[in-house]
Amino acid sequence: MQGDIRNWPIRLIEGRNIMGIMGNTNQSGITRSVVTTLDNQGRDVMGLKTVAWKFPETKFISGSLLTVESTHFAIMKQRGAVLNKYDTGQYPIETPDKPLLGKFVQGMFGGGTDSNPWQMEIIYLQRAKLKIQNKGVATSAEMAEMMYFVDYYTHIDSMEDALKLITHMPFAGDSITTDELADYAGPVIEQSINQILQVTPMERINEKIIEISELCKKHLTEFLGVYGITLNELKLLILPRDERMRELISLQAIGLSPHEAVRYYLALKMAEKGLVSAPNAAVGQAFNVGGALGTWNAAGVTEIKAGEV
């Protein structure tokens, strides 16, 4: 077989070695196996970030078992064509190999090469809910930069939807991850948010959050449906990109006027620097040095001339 398979989730069935029927010509034997997404510690290799995953090995013999967990679908393909679809359960893999004629078949078809007639591809697809996040920057009606964070949950609902995914979304490697799915959905989300945000003043954005969320959910549902992915929930957060602007808005949220918010923001920054005049900035009063200890009238102080001390 090609590559190092020591870390692959294949469970060998003891005592059932069969003479080499496929694999490299220098491979003397191949073992019936259980194909699964679980590793030797029982952990799912797909985790929480994988939408679809190709099993690393592509050569199988009759009698091998395909295991599909309750949170997965599985699809078997050969030379681009779908051979079979599997729901939850354990299924025997049927191939056209004949143990007694293995060497003969290898010679006829060039066994151990990509021309092997029973070289197959097994793809696992996640049917459990996965969390995906998109974030970016949009602008308000005043051209103020606003950051947005969109968290949404998706899943593959049926076997037909699983077929749509592997048909319309290509594999960049051995898997399709939630990050890749977020890259696909990014332009749709950005356009939906900007459609309303760019004509909305910054102080009214919070009033439009529900409207923006519904529009974003509508467009994203239509887009993901092409790939057989169902959108469950969507949460949207929009806030100013500039940290100072976020603090000023927070001060206004507790009932301060814009002018008072600026004063209190200045007072907070002065207090962080340890300036004793910070309270004066908050209330808008001048700061007099020594005012708290009393003042002296210079007219009543006798002048001390140089050399008298």
Side-chain angles (χ1 to χ4, degrees):
M1 294 185 184
Q2 298 177 352
D4 184 359
I5 65 172
R6 287 176 294 177
N7 297 322
W8 294 350
I10 301 179
R11 298 177 180 177
L12 302 181
I13 303 176
E14 296 182 0
R16 301 188 68 179
N17 292 333
I18 297 178
M19 293 302 293
I21 307 167
M22 45 191 160
N24 295 328
T25 53
N26 60 356
Q27 181 76 27
S28 60
I30 190 167
T31 308
R32 290 174 180 170
S33 59
V34 175
V35 180
T36 178
T37 58
L38 300 181
D39 61 16
N40 293 330
Q41 285 73 44
R43 296 171 298 192
D44 191 345
V45 298
M46 294 184 70
L48 300 176
K49 294 290 185 180
T50 304
V51 181
W53 178 69
K54 290 183 180 180
F55 190 77
E57 183 54 58
T58 59
K59 298 181 177 73
F60 306 95
I61 62 173
S62 291
S64 296
L65 296 178
L66 171 65
T67 300
V68 183
E69 302 298 326
S70 60
T71 55
H72 300 152
F73 292 115
I75 295 176
M76 180 180 289
K77 298 176 66 178
Q78 184 180 40
R79 301 185 183 277
V82 175
L83 293 182
N84 214 336
K85 300 171 289 185
Y86 304 93
D87 209 320
T88 303
Q90 194 171 57
Y91 308 88
I93 297 178
E94 298 296 336
T95 64
D97 62 283
K98 301 295 182 183
L100 296 179
L101 301 178
K103 294 295 183 180
F104 172 75
V105 174
Q106 280 188 347
M108 291 292 293
F109 292 99
T113 69
D114 290 339
S115 63
N116 196 312
W118 50 86
Q119 184 174 16
M120 293 174 288
E121 184 178 55
I122 296 177
I123 302 174
Y124 284 95
L125 299 105
Q126 188 79 262
R127 65 196 300 179
K129 285 186 179 181
L130 298 177
K131 179 185 176 183
I132 306 175
Q133 184 183 82
N134 282 82
K135 57 184 178 180
V137 178
T139 54
S140 66
E142 306 92 345
M143 297 301 293
E145 290 187 334
M146 309 293 293
M147 294 191 305
Y148 63 83
F149 300 87
V150 182
D151 293 305
Y152 51 101
Y153 294 86
T154 65
H155 77 280
I156 299 174
D157 192 60
S158 64
M159 188 65 72
E160 289 70 24
D161 290 336
L163 288 172
K164 287 182 182 180
L165 179 65
I166 64 173
T167 300
H168 297 291
M169 187 171 291
F171 282 82
D174 62 355
S175 65
I176 297 174
T177 65
T178 54
D179 291 336
E180 292 175 302
L181 193 58
D183 290 338
Y184 271 79
V188 177
I189 293 174
E190 182 180 3
Q191 183 179 11
S192 301
I193 294 175
N194 277 321
Q195 186 173 334
I196 297 178
L197 201 65
Q198 289 182 346
V199 295
T200 304
M202 186 170 63
E203 65 270 13
R204 296 192 58 198
I205 288 177
N206 284 338
E207 302 174 14
K208 299 283 187 177
I209 284 293
I210 296 179
E211 182 181 348
I212 298 173
S213 297
E214 291 300 320
L215 182 63
C216 189
K217 187 173 183 178
K218 176 185 175 182
H219 290 174
L220 190 58
T221 298
E222 295 173 353
F223 175 78
L224 294 177
V226 176
Y227 299 98
I229 298 174
T230 300
L231 176 65
N232 299 112
E233 303 172 36
L234 183 144
K235 303 296 182 182
L236 172 64
L237 174 65
I238 300 178
L239 65 162
R241 186 179 187 183
D242 185 72
E243 183 179 355
R244 289 169 296 182
M245 188 61 68
R246 294 200 296 271
E247 294 186 30
L248 288 170
I249 292 176
S250 298
L251 290 170
Q252 292 184 58
I254 63 175
L256 299 178
S257 67
H259 184 67
E260 290 172 333
V262 171
R263 289 208 317 262
Y264 274 81
Y265 173 79
L266 175 62
L268 290 171
K269 293 302 178 184
M270 293 173 66
E272 290 176 3
K273 300 295 183 181
L275 300 177
V276 296
S277 56
N280 297 72
V283 298
Q285 295 295 325
F287 177 75
N288 298 315
V289 178
L293 302 176
T295 57
W296 296 89
N297 187 352
V301 178
T302 302
E303 181 180 359
I304 301 176
K305 297 181 181 180
E308 294 182 358
V309 179

